[in-house]
Amino acid sequence: MLGLKTISEYNKEIKRIDKILYDFKEYIEECPEDSGTKWNYESLKYIRNELKKEQDKLED
C-alpha cells in the first residue's frame, strides 16, 4: 500500500494514524455538524485496517 517493508515501519505508520484518529475523534465529538471530518475519520480507519492486514501478512 505505502511501500512499507518491515514490521517496524508498519508499526510506526499505524501509530501515526492512530494519533490522527484520536485527534479527529475529539474534534468530531466537539463539532458533530462537520460531516467532512467524519468522512476523513472513517477513511483513515480503513487505511489503518488495511495496513494492519498487510502487516499481518508480513508476520506470517
Side-chain angles (χ1 to χ4, degrees):
M1 182 176 218
L2 294 173
L4 304 174
K5 295 182 174 140
T6 66
I7 292 173
S8 64
E9 288 176 319
Y10 278 96
N11 286 338
K12 184 178 177 182
E13 193 64 24
I14 290 167
K15 190 179 252 187
R16 188 176 70 82
I17 291 173
D18 284 341
K19 167 79 171 95
I20 294 168
L21 287 172
Y22 177 80
D23 292 342
F24 267 143
K25 189 171 183 176
E26 284 183 348
Y27 180 77
I28 290 169
E29 290 171 359
E30 292 173 11
C31 304
E33 68 279 357
D34 188 352
S35 62
T37 303
K38 177 73 172 163
W39 187 87
N40 289 333
Y41 177 82
E42 293 300 325
S43 298
L44 275 174
K45 276 178 48 178
Y46 173 80
I47 292 169
R48 183 196 62 204
N49 291 337
E50 291 299 309
L51 284 173
K52 285 183 177 184
K53 288 178 190 175
E54 289 182 18
Q55 181 185 30
D56 290 342
K57 288 179 187 175
L58 270 182
E59 290 175 343
D60 291 339

